[in-house]
Amino acid sequence: METRVIHVDALEELRAIYREAADLLEDGQLVAIPTETVYGLGADAFNAEAVARIFEVKQRPAFDPLICHMARREDVHELCEVPEALLELVTLMAAELWPGPLTMVLPKKPCVPDIVTSGLDTVAVRVSAHDVMRGVARVLGRPIAAPSANMFGNISPTSANAVKSELDGLIPMILDAGACSDGIESTIVAPCIDAKGEPALHLLREGPVSREQLRKYARVIRPKKISARAAAMAAASSSAPASEATPRPLAPGQLASHYAPHKPFHLCAPRSVFEPVEGVRYGLVSYQGDSLLSMQGCWANIKVLSPGNGRLTEAAIRLFAFMRAMDEDDEIDVIIAEELPDTGIGCAMMDRLRRAAVPRG
Ligand code: TXA
Ligand code: MG
C-alpha cells in the first residue's frame, strides 16, 4: 500500500482534505490524524471492523482500549451514560478543559462497539484542541477511535515524519499538520464516587493537564503502581464496576514497559556522575544542557530539551522527537535521559521516561 502524506496547511483546501479523510474512514480505512498531544491512528469508532484494523496494524493487544475523539463536547452524551452524581463535575470539566488534552473515562452507551473499549463497560472520550482532528470528526459525523499512531509499545509520534517511520505502507493517508503543540499524550481521568460519597477523579495517566489543575475540580486519587503481570491478569478477567477501591482500567497505558525506544534506555539524576562502559557510545537527552551530568565528556551526542532557563512545556514538545532521533542515530548504542523536575507536565514526562526505562517484555 502507498501511504500518501497530505499537508494540511492551505486554508482553502481544508474542507476537501477533511472530506477525503472522512471518505476513507467511512470506507473502513485508517487515517493518521494530528492532535495537540500526539498523532492518532484514526478509524470510524462505530465501525467495529475498521477499529479491529487499528489493533492489527499497531500489533496492539486486544485488551488495550481506545480513546474516542469527538467533534463537540456535547457528544459525550451520545457515547456515555454520565451518572447523575457525576453530571455536574463532568459538565464543568468538559466546559473548561475541552477542547484540550484531557480524556475522561465514563460508562459507555451500547452504540460504542465492544472492540473500542476492549469489552469494558466504560469508554474513554476527549475533544481534541486540534482543528484537524475535530474537523475530520465533524465531517465524518461520528467519533474517531484513535490510539497514538505508533507500533504498540513504541514512542508516540509527534510529527507526520515520525508516523511515517512507524506506519509507512500500512495505512493509506497521513494528515501532516506539523509538530504537535503539547507533545505528550493526554491526561486520563475516570470520574468516580469516592468512599465518602463525593465525586472524585481517578488519575489513570499523567499528561498536559496537571494534577494541580485537576484538584480544582475534585479530589484526585492516584493509581497504585500496577505490575505488567497484574495488569495482564486483570485485563484477562471480567470487568468490575468502577469505584475507589477497584480503579480501572488496567491496560497497557499503565504497564511498566511502554513508550520505549528500541535501544537500552536509562534515567540518571542531573547531578550524578556517569560511569561509561568502555566501547559503548552513549547519547544524552538533557533538560537544560548545563547539568553536571551533561558536562561529562562521555557523550557521543547530547540533545537539550529546553536550553537556558528550562521550560517544561518546551521540553514536553521535544521529548518524544529527541528520544526517537537518538533511537535512530547509528552513532549511539545506549540512550541516557536526565531526570526532569517532577512538577506540572514534568510528572507526565517522568512517567513516560520511567516506563521507557523498564526493559521490554
Ligand atoms: O493524547 C492522547 O491521548 C493520544 C491522542 C491520539 O489522542 N492517544 C493516546 O491513545 O495516547 P493510546 O491508545 O496510545 O492510549 C490510550 C490509553 C490506553 O492505553 C488505555 O490505558 C486508556 O487510554 N484507556 C482507553 N480506554 C479506557 C477505558 N475504557 N478505561 C480505562 N482506560 C482506558
Ligand atoms: Mg499509545
Side-chain angles (χ1 to χ4, degrees):
M1 180 186 290
E2 187 208 348
T3 301
R4 288 190 304 143
V5 180
I6 308 287
H7 293 269
V8 197
D9 43 16
L11 268 182
E12 66 276 12
E13 287 171 12
L14 276 186
R15 283 177 73 89
I17 292 170
Y18 292 172
R19 184 70 263 169
E20 212 180 331
D23 283 348
L24 283 171
L25 295 173
E26 227 156 62
D27 188 39
Q29 306 207 50
L30 309 184
V31 178
I33 307 172
T35 82
E36 75 279 37
T37 56
V38 301
Y39 275 68
L41 177 61
D44 173 353
F46 290 165
N47 180 340
E49 255 178 64
V51 173
R53 280 277 299 146
I54 292 182
F55 287 90
E56 191 186 336
V57 164
K58 277 193 61 135
Q59 296 174 17
R60 179 175 173 117
F63 64 82
D64 190 9
L66 307 177
I67 297 174
C68 289
H69 297 71
M70 310 177 295
R72 289 161 293 263
R73 54 173 83 84
E74 301 75 46
D75 295 347
V76 67
H77 300 290
E78 305 276 312
L79 302 185
C80 308
E81 204 71 69
V82 184
E84 191 61 36
L86 296 173
L87 193 56
E88 200 181 322
L89 172 65
V90 170
T91 307
L92 182 65
M93 291 182 71
E96 297 194 355
L97 299 173
W98 282 344
L102 176 80
T103 296
M104 285 199 258
V105 172
L106 292 162
K108 84 173 191 79
K109 283 196 166 166
C111 63
V112 180
D114 285 338
I115 190 165
V116 171
T117 65
S118 302
L120 295 174
D121 48 20
T122 54
V123 61
V125 290
R126 85 177 185 101
V127 182
S128 167
H130 206 296
D131 289 347
V132 176
M133 180 55 98
R134 283 203 321 282
V136 178
R138 198 177 55 242
V139 173
L140 178 67
R142 288 191 287 280
I144 295 174
S148 51
N150 52 276
M151 299 304 283
F152 180 71
N154 286 0
I155 304 165
S156 296
T158 52
S159 68
N161 259 347
V163 178
K164 200 156 193 286
S165 72
E166 292 278 326
L167 302 176
D168 196 23
L170 296 175
I171 56 172
M173 184 184 280
I174 299 170
L175 296 181
D176 180 354
C180 300
S181 59
D182 282 335
I184 197 151
E185 304 87 349
S186 62
T187 304
I188 305 181
V189 294
C192 66
I193 298 297
D194 71 10
K196 292 187 191 144
E198 298 292 325
L201 295 168
H202 264 300
L203 180 56
L204 300 178
R205 182 173 71 184
E206 310 250 16
V209 178
S210 66
R211 269 178 254 161
E212 295 83 354
Q213 276 173 283
L214 294 172
R215 277 194 201 109
K216 198 180 126 193
Y217 300 96
R219 187 166 76 88
V220 175
I221 304 165
R222 297 187 55 199
K224 294 198 188 81
K225 288 258 181 303
I226 298 163
S227 72
R229 188 161 169 273
M233 282 168 58
S237 69
S238 64
S239 54
S243 72
E244 181 170 358
T246 55
R248 285 186 315 172
L250 298 168
Q254 282 84 55
L255 283 183
S257 169
H258 211 66
Y259 313 104
H262 294 92
K263 289 180 186 165
F265 177 87
H266 306 283
L267 267 170
C268 283
R271 264 176 274 170
S272 60
V273 174
F274 186 73
E275 287 174 22
V277 173
E278 181 81 38
V280 178
R281 299 162 309 167
Y282 296 91
L284 176 71
V285 178
S286 170
Y287 179 34
Q288 290 164 258
D290 58 2
S291 60
L292 179 66
L293 187 67
S294 63
M295 296 301 166
Q296 284 161 234
C298 58
W299 310 116
N301 190 352
I302 301 184
K303 288 197 171 289
V304 182
L305 292 165
S306 183
N309 291 334
R311 283 192 300 125
L312 284 169
T313 46
E314 181 182 44
I317 293 170
R318 293 177 168 160
L319 181 68
F320 287 156
F322 284 3
M323 281 167 68
R324 193 171 279 280
M326 290 277 183
D327 212 20
E328 287 167 2
D329 185 341
D330 292 338
E331 315 270 299
I332 287 170
D333 305 313
V334 174
I335 308 169
I336 306 294
E338 207 170 274
E339 288 171 2
L340 297 162
D342 228 338
T343 60
I345 199 171
C347 297
M349 286 189 274
M350 280 302 292
D351 167 70
R352 306 307 188 270
L353 291 175
R354 286 191 193 103
R355 289 175 206 272
V358 174
R360 282 171 183 248

